[in-house]
Amino acid sequence: HVQLVESGGGSVQAGGSLRLSCAVSGHTYKQYCMGWFRQAPGKEREGVASLHTAVGTPYYADPVKGRFTISLDKAKKTVYLQIDSLKPEDTAIYYCAADSGLPYGQGIPAWSEFNYWGQGTQVTVS
């Protein structure tokens, strides 16, 4: 089992930047597929970025390519999501997710395939 704790959300103006963090604790000796998802009011949860700790190749959803960057600091056991050029449509609760059973090289898995979730952090863009 792992525990995920997100931080770094906030309210920013369009065009601004935020860096979200996802601190990972627990059985971190395993390799995991890590994902960032977001859910806006009245909308389904959507994957925005993922990477596998064994490989590190990032995947991005089309709406965020070129603006979002997912990265991993293994020493700090933290996954980051750098969000630049924020748009009002980026407003959502952002969640970090992890699963040790997902293979790498499969793009962004569906949210239903992840077993571990953080509590979410709100991002509001005006």
Side-chain angles (χ1 to χ4, degrees):
H1 296 286
V2 291
Q3 293 78 44
L4 308 175
V5 179
E6 302 100 332
S7 61
S11 296
V12 296
Q13 292 187 337
S17 298
L18 284 173
R19 188 176 78 160
L20 308 184
S21 300
C22 174
V24 185
S25 60
H27 293 176
T28 57
Y29 56 87
K30 291 184 176 181
Q31 301 294 342
Y32 289 88
C33 179
M34 304 298 302
W36 280 99
F37 291 78
R38 67 184 181 185
Q39 189 165 20
K43 294 188 177 181
E44 292 190 358
R45 189 169 298 190
E46 64 171 344
V48 295
S50 71
L51 63 74
H52 201 286
T53 60
V55 179
T57 302
Y59 296 94
Y60 299 98
D62 287 342
V64 307
K65 283 181 180 177
R67 301 189 299 118
F68 287 24
T69 304
I70 186 172
S71 61
L72 169 67
D73 186 326
K74 289 189 175 181
K76 294 183 178 180
K77 298 180 180 179
T78 300
V79 179
Y80 300 99
L81 186 69
Q82 177 69 38
I83 310 176
D84 298 318
S85 303
L86 276 158
K87 303 176 180 180
E89 51 263 43
D90 295 321
T91 296
I93 299 174
Y94 284 71
Y95 298 91
C96 176
D99 195 276
S100 62
L102 295 172
Y104 53 80
Q106 301 296 313
I108 303 175
W111 68 266
S112 56
E113 297 190 63
F114 286 85
N115 279 323
Y116 303 106
W117 291 86
Q119 82 287 354
T121 185
Q122 176 72 48
V123 172
T124 303
V125 186
S126 59

